[in-house]
């Protein structure tokens, strides 16, 4: 498959690009500074601006899937969603956040008293992005939320998937590595199971 990743120099984006490249897909990595994109077989690094709808649509056009791995505070949802629609890319996948996951029926993690203040603005904007996608009827979108804590670590390819509820492990910890998050994203691209849906991954 031919896949484009916007934000390919970031922590999640770089892992997703690497995972898909190692599976043999033809990758276009997009970043403001393409020199920061890892030089790997099957990866072409190009410069792109996430705020420029027309430019991004042109970069995504002709791909089988486009992945958006960009901080919500550093992007415009209308530009990203508009670019995905304008490009006519068959699938648009978003690296989401954990804040919009539910810890009780109708109660999002970001609204709880213990949610870290320093991450709240980003999480609220991510939740708004998801709400915007839920209204979208034309685009084949997918929104993948990590668990509460996402860290660099081991690629195990052993994890659980969920839908809208925060996942926790046997010790009550909610976490996933960037490497396994990338595996879940790559699996979804290769074997679509969450069209116009959000899902989550954790241990």
């Amino acid at each position: 498959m031919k896949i484009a990743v916007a934000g390919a120099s970031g922590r999640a984006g770089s892992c997703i690009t690497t995972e898909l490249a190692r599976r043999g897909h033809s990758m276009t990595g997009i970043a403001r500074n393409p020199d920061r994109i890892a030089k790997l077989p099957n990866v072409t690094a190009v410069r792109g601006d996430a705020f420029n709808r027309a430019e991004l649509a042109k970069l995504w056009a002709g791909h089988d899937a486009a992945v958006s791995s960009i901080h919500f505070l550093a992007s415009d949802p209308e530009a990203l969603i508009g670019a995905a629609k304008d490009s006519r890319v068959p699938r648009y996948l978003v690296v989401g956040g954990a804040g919009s996951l539910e810890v009780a029926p109708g109660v999002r993690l970001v609204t709880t008293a213990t949610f870290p203040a320093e991450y709240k603005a980003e999480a609220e904007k991510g939740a708004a992005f998801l709400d915007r996608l839920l209204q979208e009827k034309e685009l084949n979108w997918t929104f993948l939320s990590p668990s509460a804590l996402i860290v660099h670590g081991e690629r195990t390819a052993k994890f659980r998937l969920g839908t809208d509820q925060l996942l926790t492990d046997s010790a009550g910890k909610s976490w996933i590595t960037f490497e396994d998050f990338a595996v879940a994203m790559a699996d979804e691209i290769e074997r679509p199971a969450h069209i116009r849906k959000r899902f989550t991954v954790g241990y």
Side-chain angles (χ1 to χ4, degrees):
M1 296 174 69
K2 190 175 180 183
I3 304 163
V5 178
S9 63
R11 291 185 294 175
S14 62
C15 285
I16 292 166
T17 302
T18 298
E19 177 66 27
L20 286 163
R22 72 185 292 275
R23 297 187 187 202
H25 297 290
S26 176
M27 302 300 301
T28 301
I30 302 166
R32 284 176 297 181
N33 186 346
D35 291 338
R36 294 180 179 176
I37 297 172
K39 294 172 176 58
L40 297 168
N42 302 326
V43 177
T44 300
V46 299
R47 186 185 311 278
D49 181 356
F51 285 100
N52 190 324
R53 173 174 172 168
E55 179 184 78
L56 198 55
K58 187 175 180 180
L59 291 173
W60 280 346
H63 290 83
D64 298 300
V67 179
S68 174
S69 181
I70 302 169
H71 286 294
F72 296 110
L73 287 174
S75 61
D76 173 11
E78 296 307 320
L80 290 170
I81 293 169
K85 292 166 73 172
D86 294 347
S87 72
R88 300 188 180 278
V89 69
R91 292 202 65 197
Y92 173 57
L93 301 101
V94 178
V95 173
S100 57
L101 291 166
E102 293 184 350
V103 294
V107 180
R108 284 176 162 174
L109 178 63
V110 68
T111 67
T112 61
T114 57
F115 193 86
E118 62 267 33
Y119 301 126
K120 192 159 189 176
E122 173 74 13
E124 287 177 340
K125 194 159 185 193
F129 196 110
L130 174 60
D131 290 340
R132 170 65 180 82
L133 283 173
L134 288 167
Q135 300 170 18
E136 182 57 53
K137 304 302 181 186
E138 300 175 28
L139 196 60
N140 282 333
W141 61 270
T142 299
F143 189 100
L144 176 55
S145 288
S147 290
L149 180 65
I150 183 167
V151 296
H152 278 295
E154 188 180 357
R155 179 193 184 278
T156 69
K158 296 178 181 178
F159 44 74
R160 293 182 297 139
L161 299 181
T163 53
D164 292 315
Q165 288 72 44
L166 185 73
L167 296 174
T168 56
D169 64 15
S170 58
K173 183 180 178 182
S174 177
W175 70 295
I176 190 71
T177 63
F178 281 105
E179 291 77 5
D180 276 341
F181 180 90
V183 172
M185 180 68 85
D187 288 348
E188 175 65 26
I189 291 172
E190 292 180 338
R191 299 183 297 279
H194 302 89
I195 299 295
R196 295 197 180 97
K197 293 179 182 177
R198 184 263 291 280
F199 74 114
T200 186
V201 57
Y203 297 124

